[in-house]
Amino acid sequence: MWKVYLRQIVRLLRENKFFSVVYILGTALSVAMIMLILVTYHIKSGDIGVEDRRSRTAYVIRGYAVPEGETYWSTSSFLSPEVVEKWFYPVKSAEAVSILVKGNSLLYSDSEQRYEQISATYTDAAFWRIFSMRFLEGHGFSEADVKGKVTRVVIDRTTARRLFGTTDVVGRPLRIDWQEYRVCGVVDDVPTYFSDASSHIYLPYTTNDYAQSKGRTGNVKLGMANCLFLLRSPSDLPALKQELEHQVQLINGAGGKYRFSIGDQPYGVSERMVKMLRGMDADKKVVERTMRLTLVILVLFLLVPAINLSGLIVARMKKRAEELGVRKAFGASTSSLMMQMFVENFVQMLIGGVLGLLMAYCLFRAVGSVMLPDINSMIIGASAEGYSSIRFWHVIDLTTVGYVLAVTFLLNLVSTLLPAWRYCRVPVVDALNKR
């Protein structure tokens, strides 16, 4: 039966080439538009590249100083490393806890005999457990290095080649922020759309004054750090929230004019992405509204082309009415005819879906900096040094192939169901007379 369907599909493609080209291109454009939204979401929230544990990662990004007796007013900033060290490191529901500070450092270039500003990540040893960095040489700094304030640095491939002409630079000195560091490892370049992991250099946060800088609102300490938690399972997020609520209560146990708060954090990756786009102080209703709006846009992108494709299918069905009548006269059932219509149109849509996915990839290459902004760069300012080109396997992987299959199936279902049902139920006499 399937061989018959395939032969029929080939015959239809050859018989009406113009119709087939229009049908496939229409599907491709529709899929490309939908994939731009789906793949953008996937790249920012899926388990891909060096950030392949996002589904198990939770984020506390801001701390709040809330005056006693107030409900709606507060002062907010990033977290103080001191608070993270004392109160967040000990949590039991996370496999690893890491301090993350994004910024810039001044790196001395021997070749140009001057300091230059370069993107930097100030962090701790747990960073190497949360992110799957690929080391070309050496290794990351250890927990003992962080606690001992040992001036070691990990640099990326581009920085190593630019400064030394090679990646074999472990043990070589670098002058950063007027301090001498020793290179302990070289990692492969990380695209900037991985905003947490991407950087040119990685330093122990304890060796840098900027990373340890802290402010104070009354008795509440704030600073420049984010806190990342690697969960054993995504289902552990509620347990982590409960444990952090307890830790916040302990922080506020000493009393004072202000209360420390982390609001409804920690966030999972999807909620954090929406918060970043809508503002960190956006409430739960705003986040839910944003998600609903995105869903409505996806449905519209699906329905509009489905209606147009349905018109093309009706035109084709009119030409094939006699063929369908003959098959019914020889005993073909309505269900078998409908199945044939579904398979024929799905295969053509699948060809358009693959073409649409390639079109979406090309669009990403052209407008990646717009579709995938580096949120940390938007916050900090000058730490962005250009966007990396989109890597093929970050856009087209098993997940996006699944998206294409799902989108093309839904397009096929919506656009084919009514025309196929209508024409497959036409009486044999009427079909043979093309009425």
Side-chain angles (χ1 to χ4, degrees):
M1 181 63 71
W2 293 102
K3 290 181 179 179
V4 173
Y5 287 166
L6 290 175
R7 284 199 297 269
Q8 183 77 357
I9 292 166
V10 172
R11 183 179 67 82
L12 289 172
L13 290 172
R14 288 176 176 174
E15 274 185 1
N16 198 334
K17 294 179 181 178
F18 176 77
F19 179 93
S20 299
V21 169
V22 171
Y23 191 82
I24 289 172
L25 286 179
T27 303
L29 288 171
S30 304
V31 170
M33 292 301 100
I34 297 171
M35 293 305 295
L36 280 176
I37 297 175
L38 292 177
V39 175
T40 300
Y41 174 79
H42 175 61
I43 290 178
K44 295 303 291 183
S45 63
D47 293 340
I48 58 174
V50 297
E51 297 186 7
D52 59 356
R53 300 183 181 98
R54 284 171 172 163
S55 61
R56 294 197 292 128
T57 305
Y59 307 83
V60 175
I61 304 168
R62 299 188 78 80
Y64 299 87
V66 185
E68 285 293 343
E70 287 283 349
T71 305
Y72 301 104
W73 184 89
S74 65
T75 298
S76 66
S77 183
F78 297 108
L79 302 172
S80 164
E82 183 180 340
V83 170
V84 177
E85 291 168 354
K86 185 176 180 180
W87 300 104
F88 292 176
Y89 272 178
V91 297
K92 304 297 183 184
S93 52
E95 183 179 320
V97 183
S98 180
I99 288 175
L100 185 68
V101 180
K102 307 295 286 189
N104 300 287
S105 280
L106 291 173
L107 173 69
Y108 186 76
S109 172
D110 284 327
S111 60
E112 298 183 13
Q113 298 292 302
R114 66 180 181 85
Y115 277 96
E116 61 183 59
Q117 198 171 60
I118 192 169
S119 63
T121 296
Y122 317 101
T123 186
D124 52 23
F127 179 88
W128 313 115
R129 296 173 61 187
I130 295 176
F131 300 103
S132 301
M133 311 293 286
R134 189 167 78 90
F135 277 86
L136 307 177
E137 302 286 345
H139 51 77
F141 39 79
S142 66
E143 186 176 348
D145 293 334
V146 176
K147 289 182 177 178
K149 301 183 179 181
V150 179
T151 51
R152 294 192 174 170
V153 60
V154 174
I155 62 178
D156 70 350
R157 180 206 298 264
T158 295
T159 303
R161 290 192 177 279
R162 185 166 58 84
L163 295 178
F164 303 106
T166 178
T167 58
D168 186 16
V169 296
V170 173
R172 300 280 288 272
L174 273 181
R175 194 156 186 81
I176 304 171
D177 294 330
W178 296 281
Q179 294 188 78
E180 185 173 290
Y181 285 74
R182 293 278 172 179
V183 177
C184 63
V186 179
V187 294
D188 201 4
D189 294 341
V190 179
T192 55
Y193 48 86
F194 294 129
S195 55
D196 290 323
S198 178
S199 187
H200 284 307
I201 61 174
Y202 304 84
L203 316 168
Y205 76 93
T206 52
T207 65
N208 186 274
D209 292 337
Y210 169 78
Q212 297 182 88
S213 62
K214 51 193 174 187
R216 183 185 289 270
T217 299
N219 53 292
V220 174
K221 297 175 183 177
L222 300 172
M224 298 301 298
N226 293 340
C227 186
L228 276 59
F229 301 85
L230 180 63
L231 305 174
R232 294 176 180 84
S233 166
S235 61
D236 290 338
L237 183 59
L240 176 62
K241 286 193 174 188
Q242 188 174 7
E243 192 171 1
L244 288 180
E245 285 175 7
H246 176 68
Q247 294 300 91
V248 169
Q249 289 175 4
L250 293 178
I251 294 172
N252 293 324
K257 185 178 178 182
Y258 291 84
R259 290 179 293 107
F260 176 74
S261 173
I262 57 172
D264 57 350
Q265 302 175 94
Y267 301 133
V269 62
S270 297
E271 189 176 8
R272 180 219 187 191
M273 181 179 67
V274 176
K275 285 275 190 178
M276 287 286 198
L277 293 173
R278 295 305 303 265
M280 289 307 303
D281 295 323
D283 59 25
K284 190 173 182 179
K285 290 182 179 179
V286 173
V287 174
E288 291 175 351
R289 190 161 58 246
T290 301
M291 298 299 286
R292 285 197 299 269
L293 179 61
T294 303
L295 181 61
V296 168
I297 292 171
L298 282 174
V299 170
L300 288 176
F301 271 131
L302 186 67
L303 284 178
V304 172
I307 293 170
N308 292 330
L309 293 172
S310 182
L312 290 174
I313 292 171
V314 168
R316 174 183 279 181
M317 289 290 190
K318 286 182 179 180
K319 291 184 178 181
R320 298 181 63 189
E322 187 174 339
E323 173 200 333
L324 296 175
V326 171
R327 291 198 61 192
K328 290 194 74 174
F330 279 90
S333 65
T334 298
S335 59
S336 66
L337 291 175
M338 287 189 67
M339 176 59 71
Q340 179 185 343
M341 299 300 105
F342 271 106
V343 173
E344 289 174 0
N345 287 300
F346 180 72
V347 170
Q348 292 179 78
M349 282 190 172
L350 193 57
I351 296 171
V354 173
L355 181 60
L357 184 56
L358 294 175
M359 290 171 63
Y361 172 73
C362 293
L363 286 172
F364 266 107
R365 290 295 299 267
V367 296
S369 60
V370 176
M371 301 297 293
L372 299 170
D374 182 347
I375 301 297
N376 285 307
S377 298
M378 293 164 63
I379 294 171
I380 297 167
S383 64
E385 291 148 359
Y387 292 90
S388 306
S389 61
I390 305 296
R391 295 186 181 176
F392 184 82
W393 293 113
H394 292 165
V395 175
I396 302 178
D397 62 359
L398 289 178
T399 301
T400 52
V401 169
Y403 286 156
V404 169
L405 289 173
V407 169
T408 51
F409 177 79
L410 288 172
L411 273 173
N412 186 43
L413 183 67
V414 175
S415 62
T416 307
L417 184 62
L418 186 58
W421 180 79
R422 176 185 170 189
Y423 278 89
C424 289
R425 291 181 71 253
V426 172
V428 174
V429 175
D430 290 343
L432 292 174
N433 287 287
K434 296 184 180 181
R435 288 191 294 178

